[in-house]
Amino acid sequence: MPGRPDVETALNAEEASNIYDSHGAETEALLPTSRPEADAIASPTKGKSDISFTHSCRQQKFSSISVATAFVLGTVACLLAQYAICGTNCFKRYDQQLVAVHTQSKQDDVSVLASPWAGSTVVHKFPPTEPTNAFPSLFPSNVGYAGATPTGAEAAVVATAPAYPLQTGQCNHPLLRPALIPADNSSLKDKKKDSKFNLFRSWGNLSPWFSVAKGHFGVDSTAATPETCRVTGLHFLHRHGARYPTAWASYGGPAKFGTKLNVAPETWNASGDLEFLNDWTYKLGEEVLTPFGRQQLYDLGITARIKYGFLLENFTENNIIPVFRTESQDRMLASAMNFAIGFFGYPFEGQYQQSITIEEQGFNNTLAPYMTCPNARIPSKSDRGMWYISRWAEKYLHHARKRLQKHLHGLELSIQDVYIMQQMCAYETVALGYSKFCELFTEKEWDGFDYALDLQFWYGSAFGSPVSRVQGIGYIQEMIARLTHTPIETHNSSTNSTLNDNKVTFPLDHSLYVDATHEVVVLNIITALNLTSFAKSGPLPYTHIPHNRSFRSAELAPFATNIQFQLLECTSTPGPQIRVIINDGVAPLTGIEGCPEEKDGMCPLAAFVAAQKKTIAETDWDWDCHGEWDVPPGPEWETLNGSPPARR
C-alpha cells in the first residue's frame, strides 16, 4: 500500500491486515508449490536461434526412418493425451502468438570543444591517509532488521531465452525484450510494424531507470554544468535497484498467480499463446535485489564517480571522508554497498563511512518515514490508488482477458490474473533476463499497465495522496540543515535526533551526500519540494489516459531512480544556485516560491531555502500523521499538494 516501500499495486482490507503481525512487520508471501523442476533450468539448446550464436551445433545422426517413426508415434501420443484432458477444445484455432521487439532509443549528440588544459596531468590523492573524522565503531556494517530475504531461481537466459542478449550500445543491461509487440488488438498479425514503443519504459515503478530526454520536463537544458558555472556540491538521492516482488501487494501480486495454477494442475491445460504455462514454474524470490538490480547500483556508482569524482578533492583537502546513508532492509543495504563498490572501487574500506538507519516501527527514519507516521499505514488514507487501479484494470484489460481465456481451458482468468501476468513480465525480466509473459500483450495494453501504476503512485505516494507531503518533510529538514550548515532546529517529524544531531553521523559541511531510499519516499520528497510541474495534469482519471500527462512513475520512480541536487557558483548569476535533476532530466523549479523561470532550471539557493523553510513550518506532522481525519475513496475528494483536509 502507499506508505509502504515498493508496494505492488490488491489484497482486500482483510487480506492486507493478515500480512502484518501485531508489530507491523512484513511476513513472507505464500509462494506456489512448484511442479517437478525439469524446467527450472531449461535444456541448453531449447529455444535457441541459429543466428544468435557464432558457433554451429554438432548433431548426432539418426536414420530418417527412426526419426519419422518417433515423430509419428510422439504426435499420436500427444494428441491422445490432449484429447483425454480437454476433448475437442484442444484442437480449436488460436490467435497468433505475439513475438519479440527490440526498439532503439535515440540519444542526443554531444559536441564538446577541448579545454585549454586538455591532456595535462591532474592527480587527486584520495582517500586521505589519516582522516580526522573516521570513527568505525559508529558505523557498523550490519545492524540487523534486514526483513525478508528469500531467494529465487538463478537466471538462465543463455539457455532459456529465444536469442542471446547482445550489448548493442542502445542499452546498458543484459535484459532481453520481445522482438515485436503489436500496437493494438487489431494489428495482432502485423509483424512488421515500425514503432517507437519501448517496453522497458512501460512498467511504471518496475521499469529500469533511463535518462529523461533534454527538455522533456520543461527545461531546455541538460544535466551538464551550465555555461559560466561550476559545480560546488551534490546531494544525490537514489532508489534501490531491481528486486523480486514484495511480500505484500494491494492489487495483483505475482506469487498469487502461481499459487492459483498449482492448486489443481490436473484440472486445466493451456494452448496457443499460453502453452508455456503448461510447464511454467514460479521462479521469483522475495524482496531482495536481483542480479540486474545489483548491476544497476554498481553502474550508478560508476557513473556518479565519473560525473562527480572531482568533489572528492574537497575531502582530501580537509582530511575527511564522505558519509553515505542507507537503511537496514536487505535490498537497501545491498544497493548502497553496490553503489559504493561502483563509486569507490573494491575494496572501499577507508574511503567512506556508511550510515545504516533502522527501518522498523519505533525508529525515526527519514528514508522510511511511514514507520513513524500511523496514518501512512491506514489503507483508506494511504492506499487511495487501490480504488482507481482496480477500476482502470477492468477497462484496459477487458479484451486481453477474453483473448487469453481462449487459450486456458478448465481455469477461469480474472482481470486481476491478467494484470498479474503483466507484472510477471516485468519481474521475470529484471530477475531472469527474459519473460514469455511479455509477448502476451499489445502496446496499447502495456500503456494501460504503465498508467495503472501512475494511478497507484499518484494517489498513494505523490501529489494525490493526503499523507505524501508529511512523509517527505523530514528529508527536506535534513537537506536544509546541510545546505545552511546548521543543525535541525526542531525534531518534529521523522528525523532522528540521535543521528542528526551528531556531526559525525550527520555531517553538515560536506560537498557530497548520497542517500538511498524507496521509490515511495522519492515521490514523497518530490511532492514536499512542491515541484508542481509534475502535478499540472492531475488529478488522474481512472476512465482514460490523459494526453501528455505530466506525472509518469516510470520517469520519476523506476528501479534505481536518482535525483541530483546540484549546487553551483556562476559568474553570470549572483549568489549560489541550486538545480534539481531527476534521472538526468532538469526539473522546473517555478512551483517553488521565489524560484524564477530560468533557462537552465536554476534557482537562487537563498530563495530555495526560504521556500522550503516555509513548507516545513506549514506542515503539521501531528495532524497529518496522527490526526483523526478521513477522506472518501475515489474522486469525491482530491488533493494536488499531498496534504490531508485542513485541521478542524
Side-chain angles (χ1 to χ4, degrees):
M1 71 183 180
R4 299 292 305 173
D6 304 316
V7 294
E8 320 300 351
T9 65
L11 299 175
N12 58 35
E14 180 180 352
E15 289 174 308
S17 64
N18 292 334
I19 294 298
Y20 296 90
D21 59 23
S22 58
H23 302 289
E26 293 182 4
T27 56
E28 296 182 10
L30 177 63
L31 299 182
T33 304
S34 296
R35 297 179 181 179
E37 289 300 312
D39 66 329
I41 300 297
S43 166
T45 58
K46 180 181 180 182
K48 289 184 179 178
S49 172
D50 292 342
I51 62 173
S52 302
F53 301 91
T54 57
H55 301 284
S56 61
C57 300
R58 295 183 177 180
Q59 301 179 347
Q60 295 181 344
K61 295 182 179 179
F62 297 96
S63 70
S64 59
I65 296 177
S66 299
V67 172
T69 301
F71 176 79
V72 171
L73 291 176
T75 300
V76 171
C78 180
L79 293 174
L80 289 175
Q82 290 187 15
Y83 182 80
I85 293 173
C86 59
T88 58
N89 285 336
C90 291
F91 308 103
K92 293 181 179 178
R93 294 187 61 185
Y94 301 102
D95 295 337
Q96 255 184 332
Q97 184 175 0
L98 310 178
V99 211
V101 81
H102 180 31
T103 57
Q104 298 181 347
S105 57
K106 296 181 179 179
Q107 297 180 350
D108 294 336
D109 293 332
V110 179
S111 178
V112 181
L113 298 177
S115 63
W117 52 87
S120 64
T121 300
V122 177
V123 178
H124 293 162
K125 294 183 179 180
F126 179 85
T129 306
E130 296 180 0
T132 59
N133 70 328
F135 294 89
S137 63
L138 292 177
F139 298 89
S141 61
N142 193 324
V143 296
Y145 301 93
T149 59
T151 59
E154 293 291 341
V157 67
V158 69
T160 60
Y164 187 89
L166 302 176
Q167 185 71 7
T168 64
Q170 299 300 319
C171 58
N172 63 345
H173 53 66
L175 309 182
L176 188 71
R177 72 188 77 199
L180 181 92
I181 293 179
D184 53 42
N185 201 41
S186 63
S187 59
L188 286 174
K189 297 181 180 179
D190 184 5
K191 294 185 177 182
K192 297 181 179 180
K193 178 177 173 58
D194 182 21
S195 173
K196 296 181 180 179
F197 173 79
N198 190 326
L199 179 64
F200 292 161
R201 300 184 182 186
S202 304
W203 295 337
N205 69 308
L206 305 181
S207 303
W209 92 274
F210 57 92
S211 295
V212 174
K214 173 186 175 183
H216 182 70
F217 289 151
V219 177
D220 191 25
S221 179
T222 70
T225 307
E227 292 183 9
T228 78
C229 300
R230 67 184 183 92
V231 174
T232 60
L234 179 72
H235 297 238
F236 194 84
L237 177 70
H238 69 83
R239 182 194 179 191
H240 59 72
R243 54 160 173 76
Y244 294 114
T246 56
W248 182 87
S250 64
Y251 191 82
K256 291 192 289 187
F257 184 67
T259 300
K260 179 172 181 175
L261 294 182
N262 193 245
V263 168
E266 71 281 0
T267 64
W268 62 268
N269 92 310
S271 58
D273 291 350
L274 298 183
E275 185 177 3
F276 72 94
L277 289 179
N278 292 325
D279 297 309
W280 174 81
T281 55
Y282 185 81
K283 300 178 180 68
L284 301 176
E286 185 179 293
E287 306 275 357
V288 299
L289 290 183
T290 68
F292 171 60
R294 296 198 298 268
Q295 179 196 345
Q296 283 187 295
L297 268 297
Y298 175 75
D299 289 346
L300 194 63
I302 289 176
T303 59
R305 180 63 177 263
I306 292 173
K307 293 175 182 177
Y308 293 103
F310 64 90
L311 291 174
L312 293 175
E313 189 175 3
N314 299 324
F315 291 89
T316 301
E317 290 176 351
N318 291 285
N319 199 31
I320 58 177
I321 53 178
V323 173
F324 292 176
R325 298 192 306 163
T326 188
E327 39 124 316
S328 61
Q329 277 201 355
D330 186 276
R331 63 182 178 274
M332 296 298 307
L333 181 56
S335 292
M337 295 297 102
N338 279 282
F339 182 93
I341 293 173
F343 191 86
F344 294 107
Y346 182 83
F348 52 69
E349 287 80 4
Q351 300 192 59
Y352 89 119
Q353 297 181 118
Q354 186 71 61
S355 175
I356 307 172
T357 58
I358 295 173
E359 177 170 342
E360 186 58 84
Q361 290 191 48
F363 297 89
N364 275 29
N365 183 352
T366 60
L367 303 177
Y370 36 80
M371 287 300 181
T372 49
C373 182
N375 282 342
R377 299 192 298 275
I378 299 175
S380 63
K381 299 178 181 182
S382 63
D383 196 13
R384 297 189 70 243
M386 163 67 178
W387 189 95
Y388 290 85
I389 194 172
S390 59
R391 285 159 176 77
W392 170 241
E394 292 287 341
K395 292 180 177 294
Y396 88 90
L397 289 175
H398 176 72
H399 294 295
R401 193 202 68 78
K402 286 186 175 181
R403 185 177 70 247
L404 295 174
Q405 185 63 69
K406 295 178 183 178
H407 304 308
L408 190 61
H409 321 288
L411 194 64
E412 187 73 18
L413 285 176
S414 67
I415 288 292
Q416 189 170 174
D417 291 333
V418 180
Y419 180 82
I420 291 174
M421 288 181 174
Q422 291 190 296
Q423 287 183 312
M424 202 73 74
C425 162
Y427 277 119
E428 284 194 342
T429 300
V430 299
L432 307 176
Y434 167 79
S435 175
K436 190 72 173 175
F437 287 96
C438 299
E439 303 173 5
L440 301 178
F441 302 94
T442 67
E443 289 182 13
K444 186 175 181 181
E445 288 158 357
W446 282 118
D447 288 341
F449 179 74
D450 192 40
Y451 184 63
L453 290 166
D454 291 348
L455 288 171
Q456 176 192 347
F457 287 97
W458 170 271
Y459 289 105
S461 305
F463 300 95
S465 166
V467 289
S468 178
R469 186 174 76 166
V470 70
Q471 291 184 82
I473 208 66
Y475 188 84
I476 304 300
Q477 288 178 285
E478 292 176 335
M479 176 180 289
I480 296 306
R482 290 164 162 177
L483 291 173
T484 60
H485 314 297
T486 57
I488 296 174
E489 296 179 3
T490 305
H491 291 281
N492 56 359
S493 66
S494 58
T495 57
N496 188 308
S497 60
T498 302
L499 296 174
N500 291 153
D501 289 347
N502 187 329
K503 292 184 179 180
V504 175
T505 54
F506 190 75
L508 299 172
D509 55 355
H510 288 187
S511 59
L512 174 65
Y513 300 95
V514 177
D515 297 319
T517 188
H518 301 278
E519 88 273 43
V520 294
V521 185
V522 170
L523 293 173
N524 293 162
I525 293 168
I526 289 174
T527 303
L529 286 168
N530 205 33
L531 300 183
T532 57
S533 62
F534 298 114
K536 63 184 179 182
S537 63
L540 300 184
Y542 68 91
T543 55
H544 64 281
I545 302 177
H547 182 64
N548 292 330
R549 66 188 183 278
S550 58
F551 181 86
R552 293 175 181 263
S553 54
E555 296 173 350
L556 300 177
F559 284 134
T561 190
N562 55 94
I563 303 181
Q564 303 170 27
F565 295 92
Q566 203 178 64
L567 303 178
L568 308 107
E569 295 280 356
C570 306
T571 58
S572 59
T573 307
Q577 305 289 310
I578 188 171
R579 292 205 299 172
V580 178
I581 301 165
I582 303 174
N583 294 325
D584 293 339
V586 182
L589 302 184
T590 50
I592 299 175
E593 185 176 325
C595 291
E597 186 173 341
E598 203 272 340
K599 64 181 181 66
D600 291 305
M602 295 190 299
C603 176
L605 184 60
F608 179 88
V609 169
Q612 301 310 321
K613 284 185 174 181
K614 183 178 180 181
T615 298
I616 292 170
E618 293 175 347
T619 302
D620 188 341
W621 175 273
D622 183 60
W623 172 250
D624 293 3
C625 281
H626 298 270
E628 294 185 3
W629 49 265
D630 292 296
V631 291
E636 184 179 340
W637 180 89
E638 301 280 8
T639 178
L640 290 174
N641 62 6
S643 297
R647 180 188 283 270
R648 296 186 291 271

